[in-house]
Amino acid sequence: MDFEIPENLRMITDTVRRLVQRELEPISRQVEEQDHIPESVVQTMRELGLFGLSIPEAYGGLGLSTLGECLVYEELAKVNACFRNRIATNNGIGSQGLVLDGTEQQKQRYLPRLASGQWIGCFALSEPGAGSDAAGVQTTAVMEGDHWVLNGRKHFITNGDIADLATVFAVTDRQKRAKGGITAFLVERSFAGYQVGTIEKKMGHRGSHTSELIFDNCRVPAENVLGGPSMVGRGFQSAMKTLDKGRLTIGAAALGAAQRLLELSLDYAKQRVQFGRPIAEFQSIKNMLADMATEIYAARQMLHHAAWLRDQKGTAVIKEASMVKLFCTNMAGRVADMAVQIHGGMGYMQEYPVERFYRDLRLTRIYEGTDEIQRLVIARELLKE
Ligand SMILES: Cc1cc2nc3c(=O)[nH]c(=O)nc-3n(C[C@H](O)[C@H](O)[C@H](O)COP(=O)(O)OP(=O)(O)OC[C@H]3O[C@@H](n4cnc5c(N)ncnc54)[C@H](O)[C@@H]3O)c2cc1C
């Protein structure tokens, strides 16, 4: 067994760590207050290639392994969730359908734009009536001549307000649904009938928006079925494959945030004096620090192993990805709770970042499949084995 992180991945991780320390950390509070990432910072992220971490080099990306992408997210998540969110759709749910299932022509047209960050991608599956039960989508697509006509409403779409390209899942056969009746479409913002709806007001993740997307007789050329005509009806399978990697990367984001919370808690415990002593000298505080570090250690081994496994196999690691998401995000929630406790009243104040991490981390147990759905997936895979 070799647990050494390869040199090329250490280099990119160091670059991102420097970006975090020099450019992102100093503006994190401003981004939180203004709910906006300055364009100059987005431009730096473009120049570093962060929008194309996982997009193959042949299409202008960095072509990183799953492990590499996870390591980058761990670093970015140490500062503020919104920075990862900005690049995450281009690397994950907004591009992976294309990488895995796109035709050569589709890849040539879209992947270089996504890899450079010139375009933002998004993934439009969820609807008001279809969340965990994603196969229940109501958005329809009907063929008219050489176009598909889409009608329906998506919600909670990350980067929906700024996306130039949406991978949209719509029903093409009501009887078949998940088994051959849902199709994925590559829908450009400029297509007639494409509208951005309300930008939703959230508990956290300020600086990153989710919005409704509305399709009102939206006309999509036949060649924009993801994967071409042979993929009509196979969109649900494409969505599930895409989410498999997303579950690992959300685990990585939760892990990075937990690591930062441990560091903040160690610093605070050493400098906060009560009863004439730093609180780090009290056994109950030491216990929390020890538990946080132990949980983070366990989560890191699990994540890195599952990412490595995915890279070795070159295919989905369904059970492990769900286990990683379930464990890492719950672990980070427990760590955030202890971090607030160690900070006492200060942990509840916006002046300290732990308050923001506590809110932001809550989302990781909900999106790209809730805890309950991860357990269903793990149990289903176990029973199949
Ligand atoms: C900030 C944010 C960003 C998002 N980004 C995107 C995006 O970019 N693209 C996209 O398509 N979607 C996105 N989503 C949607 C997200 O994936 C869904 O919110 C999530 O899958 C849960 O669906 P739901 O909210 O409809 O909850 P529901 O499905 O209504 O679930 C409610 C509760 O019931 C439980 N439940 C449901 N079914 C079962 C079951 N069979 N067994 C046990 N328990 C069950 C759930 O676990 C949950 O506890 C985002 C959501 C948020 C909040």
Side-chain angles (χ1 to χ4, degrees):
M1 279 195 285
D2 181 2
F3 288 102
E4 200 64 41
I5 302 289
E7 174 66 19
N8 65 326
L9 301 188
R10 277 213 306 272
M11 276 166 65
I12 173 100
T13 312
D14 288 346
T15 304
V16 175
R17 192 173 299 128
R18 280 195 296 277
L19 171 77
V20 163
Q21 288 164 355
R22 290 182 194 163
E23 299 202 35
L24 305 186
E25 193 60 60
I27 59 157
S28 178
R29 185 178 297 211
Q30 173 198 323
V31 168
E32 179 74 6
E33 282 164 7
Q34 298 179 356
D35 194 17
H36 171 75
I37 304 176
E39 180 53 31
S40 59
V41 171
V42 176
Q43 184 55 26
T44 305
M45 292 166 86
R46 284 191 195 108
E47 284 161 13
L48 290 174
L50 299 187
F51 284 90
L53 294 171
S54 64
I55 295 178
E57 286 173 285
Y59 303 101
L62 298 184
L64 285 190
S65 58
T66 312
L67 178 61
E69 195 182 345
C70 286
L71 291 169
V72 169
Y73 287 156
E74 270 180 61
E75 290 306 320
L76 271 185
K78 288 180 185 168
V79 56
N80 187 321
C82 69
F83 296 116
R84 189 195 81 96
N85 288 357
R86 178 56 75 96
I87 62 165
T89 51
N90 279 37
N91 286 297
I93 54 179
S95 72
Q96 283 309 293
L98 269 164
V99 171
L100 297 171
D101 289 329
T103 64
E104 191 50 39
Q105 198 188 9
Q106 290 169 346
K107 289 181 184 180
Q108 297 280 358
R109 175 164 173 76
Y110 296 119
L111 287 177
R113 295 173 199 207
L114 294 172
S116 66
Q118 184 198 346
W119 275 27
I120 296 294
C122 73
F123 176 85
L125 177 63
S126 301
E127 297 182 4
S132 300
D133 180 13
V137 291
Q138 296 297 318
T139 297
T140 54
V142 176
M143 191 78 178
E144 273 183 20
D146 56 0
H147 280 70
W148 288 88
V149 180
L150 269 61
N151 278 289
R153 180 182 293 259
K154 301 287 179 179
H155 77 165
F156 300 167
I157 307 306
T158 302
N159 291 334
D161 59 326
I162 53 169
D164 303 280
L165 177 71
T167 306
V168 181
F169 297 85
V171 180
T172 42
D173 185 329
R174 278 195 184 282
Q175 263 70 47
K176 292 187 184 157
R177 291 215 151 257
K179 295 184 177 140
I182 294 177
T183 302
F185 296 91
L186 298 165
V187 187
E188 296 183 22
R189 190 188 183 99
S190 60
F191 288 173
Y194 179 112
Q195 288 171 42
V196 176
T198 307
I199 295 178
E200 286 120 357
K201 293 195 172 120
K202 311 187 296 314
M203 180 194 282
H205 283 238
R206 288 177 62 78
S208 161
H209 299 162
T210 69
S211 76
E212 292 180 317
L213 287 183
I214 299 161
F215 304 97
D216 181 10
N217 286 319
C218 179
R219 292 179 64 76
V220 179
E223 66 260 26
N224 277 40
V225 168
L226 176 65
S230 65
M231 286 287 287
V232 170
R234 288 165 62 192
F236 192 74
Q237 288 65 29
S238 188
M240 294 304 116
K241 273 191 284 181
T242 298
L243 289 172
D244 177 65
K245 186 172 76 120
R247 288 172 180 163
L248 294 175
T249 57
I250 290 177
L255 174 63
Q259 177 66 41
R260 179 77 199 291
L261 285 164
L262 172 62
E263 288 159 13
L264 290 168
S265 300
L266 282 166
D267 287 348
Y268 191 79
K270 283 191 254 180
Q271 58 88 8
R272 173 70 174 164
V273 174
Q274 287 292 281
F275 299 96
R277 290 193 278 162
I279 62 169
E281 291 185 15
F282 299 129
Q283 192 60 48
S284 44
I285 300 288
K286 286 185 191 170
N287 287 348
M288 281 193 273
L289 292 170
D291 285 349
M292 290 161 92
T294 306
E295 291 234 44
I296 290 168
Y297 180 64
R300 179 168 292 118
Q301 307 315 310
M302 182 185 195
L303 170 73
H304 290 185
H305 177 261
W308 170 87
L309 194 63
R310 186 176 189 274
D311 291 333
Q312 299 300 307
K313 285 173 64 171
T315 57
V317 286
I318 299 168
K319 183 181 68 181
E320 290 82 1
S322 283
M323 286 173 162
V324 163
K325 182 169 188 286
L326 180 64
F327 185 79
C328 291
T329 60
N330 278 270
M331 174 284 296
R334 291 190 292 274
V335 165
D337 192 67
M338 288 187 268
V340 170
Q341 200 66 19
I342 289 170
H343 283 75
M346 273 304 176
Y348 201 68
M349 297 296 143
Q350 290 184 359
E351 197 184 330
Y352 272 62
V354 287
E355 178 269 346
R356 171 173 50 76
F357 277 109
Y358 183 82
R359 281 184 289 112
D360 285 353
L361 276 167
R362 190 63 186 82
L363 176 63
T364 61
R365 292 177 50 207
I366 298 171
Y367 67 175
E368 296 198 29
T370 62
D371 285 356
E372 292 72 26
I373 296 305
Q374 305 310 328
R375 287 193 173 93
L376 287 181
V377 172
I378 297 163
R380 187 191 64 207
E381 294 299 309
L382 283 174
L383 292 166
K384 255 198 244 167
E385 278 167 8

